[in-house]
Amino acid sequence: MPQTNNPPNQAGQHLLDQVRAQVLAEHQAQADALRQRSDYIPALDYFLDLLARPLSLEKMRAAIGRPVMEQLCNLAPYELFHAFGVHPVRMGCGCNSVQRLVASGNPVLMCPVMKSNLGMQRLHGQAGEEGAVRVVPTSCDWVVKYPEMARQDGRETHFLELPHSRQSEKGQQRWLEEIYGFAALLEKKTGKKLKRQRLLASIEAFMRAWRALQELADLRRRRLIPGIFFMVVANSFMLDAVEPWTEHLGQLLEEAASRRAAATGRGIFLAGSPIAFPNYKLPHLIEEAGMDVCADDLCTSERVLPGAVCYDDPSEHGLLRALSERYHRGCICPTFADNERRVNSILNTCRQNDIQGVVYHVLKGCHPCDIESVTMGETLKQHGYKFLRIETDFAKEDSQNLLTRLEAFGEIL
Amino acid sequence: MTVKALRLITQHTMFLVLTYGGRLGISLGSALPCLSCPYVSGCGGYCYLMALQSGVWGLAMPLGDMVSAQGLEALYYLGIFVLLAALFNKLWCGWICPFGLIQDWLTMLRKKLGIREARLSWRNRERLKPVKYILLAYLVVVPLLIAHAGLSGDFGLPFCQICPAKPIMPLFAGITHHLALDLTNTITLVFSILSVGIAGGMLVGMFYKERFFCIFCPMLILIHVLKKISPIRFEKEVDGCLGCGNCHRMCPVDIRDVQEQKTKKDVLSEDCMLCLTCVESCPQDKVLRLKFLQWPLFASSRKYVARHFPMKKRAHASDE
Ligand code: SF4
Ligand code: SF4
Ligand code: SF4
Ligand code: SF4
Ligand code: SF4
């Protein structure tokens, strides 16, 4: 039963220290496991280093040298933050051990991603510092209720009200208004005016990042790098400023091209709920079962960047409209009401890359994905694809059971 | 080279040929499916709308002439028009029409100035669609009335009288007298006021709204009716579309049909000018494509989008 009205969880200092040690160990263990692989590419070091330390907004602010704003989901345009000199970061945490801190005082069947986020906030005790804003696109119920669950941290919340219908003129206009409102908020918070040239430069900066990530995606589609390495890179997006991140990705691409740490398993498409470092349980199990994720549509992986922002009208309004549509109309998150075309992206990718099977990941408590997995499975099967739905969380207990199912799935591919 | 660059080169080449070609002895005939205006002296080819409205080779021809050799000649021009319009179809609009390019220049200027484009609501955009049919009806009926119902010859070439190309295009050949009022009689006076007024209004419209005149152009429908026999095909692989809306936003004439089509392959819609901007900006591999019969000419791809957007390299902004 939801208990959101209870007083905040007063974890004692001892518990905090204990959990902190566990969290560090969990991150380190995952990073080490990846580094010890025989197919490891040394240029991944930069990305793993970013991931291996649990995310703290304060430390990040110091490292990047820019004000940092927390965003709860990819739907808030990076380019807009960036145009105001603000660094957005998504607390897309996949930490299991930190969830202990929120075990009481919150709904039991809570989305694990949110549980981890909340735990991480508590761990760092990030009480509301001056001007800190949490940007919350109202994508799913957990995200919407997150500020309420994080009640004691005193952080200001800015909701971006997400119209769940993307294909109607009304929905598109409402989202554009939200984007204008968001720009106004950023103007207020930073004391800067929105400049068209800066927005253009931002769009280009993220475009370069997207372009590089696409090249990496192509490598994994062609089975030239293991899928899990792609995930490492995508997961680390915005854990550093976008420019150095893109540069390092360029180096990785060069190195990967010369080394060719080829994937070995049969290629599958991974769809559904997000997977974030250090919780790589499912990708590891998929590999163990003789398969490899060579494409996905997770919002922490291939969809971490929404894609090219194509604009025809380079006026300020034209750019904001292009951004707004790219993030809203062009998004295939399961949270949308008119989302029947989402399956097209999976079909297309599978067709063009000779992928026969789709694994659909449902995080326990992730309702949009849970609901969608049913119809998605039906449609994909109708098109002749093999489909496996995996419902799990961050805990390791079900690993053996999942492995058995995945192996059976691998056999029929 | 991008398709956009190729298109710009083609448009400018054709502009030179069609505006000044006559001076070099080039003549592409009198049945061109684009607004290459004969009022431009020394032009390289004539817009078919003039022939169509005229009493020489068109609808204003008296009954007697129709059954003579002149009637055959009229048929010959019609045949040439049908052939040309079928062969390239809307590519005439997106790639060749000089009046189309004028509109694109105004858009380029607006973009340079950073002025936002005027937007039409979906509803208003739909409401404007029938206007070109009304203009076409006007263009057909008035000449017939002249030929068969005794309407004054001052109503001759009724569409040319109000076509914005008539006062604007001759300016490129240094001819300004189409901007003057024709005081011969009331009809000519009214027409000349209308002509200049419409051209002025259109210039403003075309500055704020890309290809604003094309929304009303009767030539577009004449070309469109020949789609069925054209070897040019504009197709969509419907089950590859994400509904991202790039094709709608990027389209100069705000066509929604490409995005919204969920069942049929053919997406060459009534107002489409085959500028291919949507194909260039569609991020899905091979979802949109232009074909000549069964041969693909150009198809959308994620790689193309990644390589070419944003289209112009810009210096890093430092305007703070
Ligand atoms: S969409 Fe799913 S995974 Fe994401 S926050 Fe909501 S419930 Fe959690
Ligand atoms: S629709 Fe536009 S481009 Fe086509 S003929 Fe008319 S004016 Fe020219
Ligand atoms: S005035 Fe217009 S319709 Fe008449 S010939 Fe010239 S371009 Fe064609
Ligand atoms: S640009 Fe392509 S994917 Fe996007 S809506 Fe249009 S046809 Fe569909
Ligand atoms: S639908 Fe495409 S090809 Fe047709 S006018 Fe619009 S952008 Fe150009």
Side-chain angles (χ1 to χ4, degrees), chain A residues 79 82-83 195-208 242-243 311 319, chain B residues 310 314-319:
Chain A
E79 292 86 344
H82 190 263
K195 294 262 172 65
R196 197 168 72 92
Q197 291 301 330
R198 290 199 70 84
L199 192 51
L200 276 168
S202 288
I203 289 176
E204 272 171 50
F206 284 89
M207 184 73 195
R208 277 191 290 274
V242 65
E243 297 85 359
Y311 55 85
L319 295 175
Chain B
R314 246 167 270 264
H316 256 211
S318 52
D319 59 339

Side-chain angles (χ1 to χ4, degrees), chain A residues 83 166-169 172-173 176 180 192-193 195-201 203-205 207-208 210-211 214-215 217-218 221 243 302 308-318 321-323 325-326 329-332 340-348 351-352 383, chain B residues 4 107 110-117 119-123 210 236-246 248-252 254 256 258-262 277 281 283-287 302-303 305-320:
Chain A
R166 318 166 298 155
Q167 301 299 343
S168 72
E169 184 177 30
Q172 288 160 21
Q173 266 169 1
L176 183 58
Y180 266 96
K192 294 180 187 164
K193 277 248 150 281
K195 294 262 172 65
R196 197 168 72 92
Q197 291 301 330
R198 290 199 70 84
L199 192 51
L200 276 168
I203 289 176
E204 272 171 50
M207 184 73 195
R208 277 191 290 274
W210 177 72
R211 215 177 272 143
Q214 287 308 303
E215 276 183 47
D218 282 338
R221 295 223 163 131
E243 297 85 359
E302 276 196 43
V309 175
C310 302
Y311 55 85
D312 175 54
D313 177 5
S315 68
E316 186 180 305
H317 174 81
R321 182 177 165 212
L323 268 185
E325 290 195 2
R326 179 66 254 180
R329 213 171 166 180
C331 178
I332 47 167
E340 75 279 3
R341 295 208 234 203
R342 172 172 148 85
V343 74
N344 288 351
S345 104
I346 302 181
L347 286 174
N348 241 20
R351 236 181 255 142
Q352 279 159 16
H383 280 83
Chain B
K4 184 181 174 165
T107 298
R110 174 178 53 75
K111 286 181 183 172
K112 265 242 137 50
L113 298 173
I115 297 172
R116 68 184 263 190
E117 188 178 16
R119 257 183 100 178
L120 293 168
S121 68
W122 293 10
R123 189 138 164 238
E210 198 166 358
K236 173 177 176 181
E237 198 67 64
V238 287
D239 65 3
C241 169
L242 296 184
C244 73
N246 279 4
H248 174 203
R249 184 178 62 258
M250 302 291 284
C251 176
D254 303 338
R256 292 208 324 272
V258 176
Q259 188 211 324
E260 284 176 0
Q261 187 53 260
K262 287 181 187 161
T277 310
S281 59
Q284 287 294 91
D285 288 332
K286 298 199 188 101
V287 161
R302 184 170 52 106
K303 283 222 170 82
V305 171
R307 219 177 299 133
H308 297 301
F309 281 93
M311 288 254 176
K312 229 190 263 156
K313 290 268 164 295
R314 246 167 270 264
H316 256 211
S318 52
D319 59 339
E320 258 201 324

Side-chain angles (χ1 to χ4, degrees), chain B residues 33-35 92-93 97 99-100 103 211 213-214 217 219-220 273:
Chain B
C34 68
L35 300 197
W92 282 101
C93 295
C97 177
F99 199 62
Q103 300 180 63
R211 290 275 178 145
F213 173 73
C214 295
C217 180
M219 183 71 92
L220 193 68
M273 308 176 304

Side-chain angles (χ1 to χ4, degrees), chain A residues 13-49:
Chain A
Q13 192 56 41
H14 177 66
L15 177 64
L16 277 181
D17 289 343
Q18 206 182 27
V19 171
R20 186 167 292 120
Q22 282 173 346
V23 167
L24 274 173
E26 191 185 339
H27 280 68
Q28 208 52 58
Q30 185 53 255
D32 289 346
L34 289 165
R35 273 189 238 267
Q36 277 150 20
R37 292 167 66 118
S38 59
D39 54 3
Y40 185 72
I41 307 170
L44 281 166
D45 277 350
Y46 165 81
F47 304 96
L48 270 182
D49 288 346

